[in-house]
Amino acid sequence: QEQLVESGGGLVQPGGSLRLSCAASRSIFGIVAMGWYRQAPGKQRELVAAIKTGGRTHYVDSVKGRFSISRDNAKTMVYLQMNNLQPEDTAVYYCNSGYPNLVEPSDFWGQGTQVTVSS
């Protein structure tokens, strides 16, 4: 059974940090790459970070140097460490399979976790 459960979001001040977690079913986690997506109000969902099974990572320019994606293959977990958060990072964050030009997200989406950056 497919499962994606995101957690760890919240309200944080600019410059703060959060660590998001995603528990994924093996049917999705077993896909060659996993990613974190975000969707801000009125905007399209975008892939902000991705990681291949072997550990190679990709980041969108706006989060490079601030976000770090990791995975625990044994636990089928994916994490997103977010540092120096800014108001423009405010969005609902989702995990799913994904890697630019390689892997598309599965049709199954979890509920996401809300990240709000505000003073």
Side-chain angles (χ1 to χ4, degrees), residues 85-106:
L85 283 161
Q86 300 300 315
E88 53 266 33
D89 297 316
T90 295
V92 179
Y93 284 71
Y94 303 86
C95 67
N96 206 328
S97 54
Y99 201 92
N101 302 315
L102 180 66
V103 178
E104 295 294 322
S106 74

Side-chain angles (χ1 to χ4, degrees), residues 50-116:
I51 184 168
K52 292 184 178 179
T53 304
R56 185 165 185 170
T57 58
H58 165 84
Y59 299 94
V60 68
D61 286 347
S62 60
V63 308
K64 281 181 180 177
R66 301 188 298 122
F67 290 13
S68 178
I69 188 171
S70 60
R71 61 190 290 163
D72 185 326
N73 292 334
K75 297 180 179 179
T76 65
M77 295 287 293
V78 186
Y79 306 98
L80 186 67
Q81 177 66 43
M82 305 187 295
N83 298 325
N84 191 22
L85 283 161
Q86 300 300 315
E88 53 266 33
D89 297 316
T90 295
V92 179
Y93 284 71
Y94 303 86
C95 67
N96 206 328
S97 54
Y99 201 92
N101 302 315
L102 180 66
V103 178
E104 295 294 322
S106 74
D107 291 335
F108 181 85
W109 291 90
Q111 82 287 350
T113 186
Q114 176 71 49
V115 172
T116 303

Side-chain angles (χ1 to χ4, degrees), residues 1-16:
Q1 185 173 356
E2 293 178 323
Q3 174 180 278
L4 291 166
V5 180
E6 301 92 347
S7 62
L11 173 64
V12 63
Q13 292 186 341

